Every structure is written in structure tokens, then in C-alpha cells.
Amino acid sequence: MKTSIKLLSVLAVLFSGTSVAANGSALIPNFLTDSPSNFYSYFYSSNITSAPVEVTVTFYDASGNVVIDTGNDPSAGYFRAANYSFYIESTAGNSINVTIDAQGTTTISLQSFNSKNGYGKIEWSQADSQTRTAIIAHGRSYRTLSGYGNSYAIPINSGVEF
């Protein structure tokens, strides 16, 4: 009798019709932005799946506070973005939410009129519960000075998809 109840319970869960969304995350080890010094940070996130992926990026300043920009304009303010199908800034304690189309790449940059540095986190979710990895990402900080440019890489998840 107990075995039958356990079996029915397991089957009920398996066939209940509810699905769990797939998700993952990775840390951004650092960012630096300082407009007077022409220093900016760029982050590239590529969707490696055949369906859109919801991505949330949260940046934290050197004191651990969430960096926000409520202008909601992808071409002005602290955050700039390109190649996305949905974009919104600073909701529920996050910095940016974007939707990346299947096989697409989104660029997010931090551009500030004062100095900011810190770290961040990229989180993704997708309705397909079978997805195990969906994003591969990397970053770079770039500076121009006296007509010359230089940059350094910001590895995210050791260059491995997550």
C-alpha cells in the first residue's frame, strides 16, 4: 500500500504539467568606468541556444551597492546596450534586464561621468527546462588617451558557457 502511494505521488509530480525554467549565472570579476579618463567597460553575452533567453545583469559598486540607472534609455546614462529584443533598466534590485534572441549577442557597456568600479553578476533563464547552458560571455575595459587605445580582458566563467 505504501509503495503504491509513493508511486502515485511520483507519477503525479512527473505528469502534473508544471515545468521548471532552466537558469544559470556567472560572476563578472570587475568593471571600471571613468569618463574623465576615457575608461569604459564592455560586456558581451551570446545566446548559444535556439530560443530567446532572458538575461539579468547586476553591477555592484566598490561598496557593494547595486549600480542603477533609471533612465531606461539604452543609448544614454550609465548603461548602453545593443542587439537585444527587450531592454529595461533597474528593476527589483537589478541593473539591466534584456532578452537575447536565439544565437544572438548583446553588448552592454558602462559609461559614467564619474568614476565607478566594482563587480557584477549575469543571470539567465529560459522556459525550456532541458537547457543546461545558454550563455557564453566575456568583457573588456577600454581606455583611450592621447589618441591611443588600450584594453584588458575581463574573463567571465573562464570563457566557458554557463
Side-chain angles (χ1 to χ4, degrees):
M1 179 73 169
K2 288 183 182 180
T3 304
S4 297
I5 291 173
K6 286 181 184 177
L7 180 60
L8 287 174
S9 297
V10 169
L11 289 174
V13 169
L14 289 175
F15 296 105
S16 65
T18 60
S19 63
V20 177
N23 60 64
S25 66
L27 292 177
I28 299 170
N30 68 71
F31 73 85
L32 172 63
T33 180
D34 185 23
S35 290
S37 299
N38 294 317
F39 239 121
Y40 306 103
S41 292
Y42 297 83
F43 299 95
Y44 308 90
S45 298
S46 297
N47 176 356
I48 59 172
T49 73
S50 58
V53 172
E54 307 298 323
V55 175
T56 299
V57 182
T58 306
F59 294 102
Y60 300 92
D61 66 18
S63 298
N65 301 309
V66 175
V67 178
I68 61 170
D69 182 1
T70 58
N72 210 32
D73 183 348
S75 60
Y78 285 136
F79 308 122
R80 311 289 169 95
N83 304 321
Y84 53 86
S85 59
F86 174 80
Y87 174 91
I88 190 166
E89 292 175 353
S90 302
T91 61
N94 301 315
S95 299
I96 301 172
N97 297 296
V98 295
T99 300
I100 305 175
D101 290 330
Q103 306 297 318
T105 298
T106 294
T107 304
I108 295 173
S109 65
L110 282 87
Q111 301 186 18
S112 174
F113 296 105
N114 55 14
S115 182
K116 282 201 182 301
N117 66 302
Y119 66 99
K121 185 175 186 178
I122 301 172
E123 300 171 277
W124 66 267
S125 66
Q126 188 180 63
D128 180 1
S129 63
Q130 301 302 309
T131 301
R132 296 292 170 244
T133 60
I135 299 292
I136 189 164
H138 74 278
R140 69 181 176 101
S141 266
Y142 181 78
R143 182 180 189 192
T144 58
L145 185 62
S146 301
Y148 297 97
N150 61 26
S151 67
Y152 66 87
I154 304 171
I156 298 172
N157 203 42
S158 300
V160 178
E161 68 271 5
F162 57 96

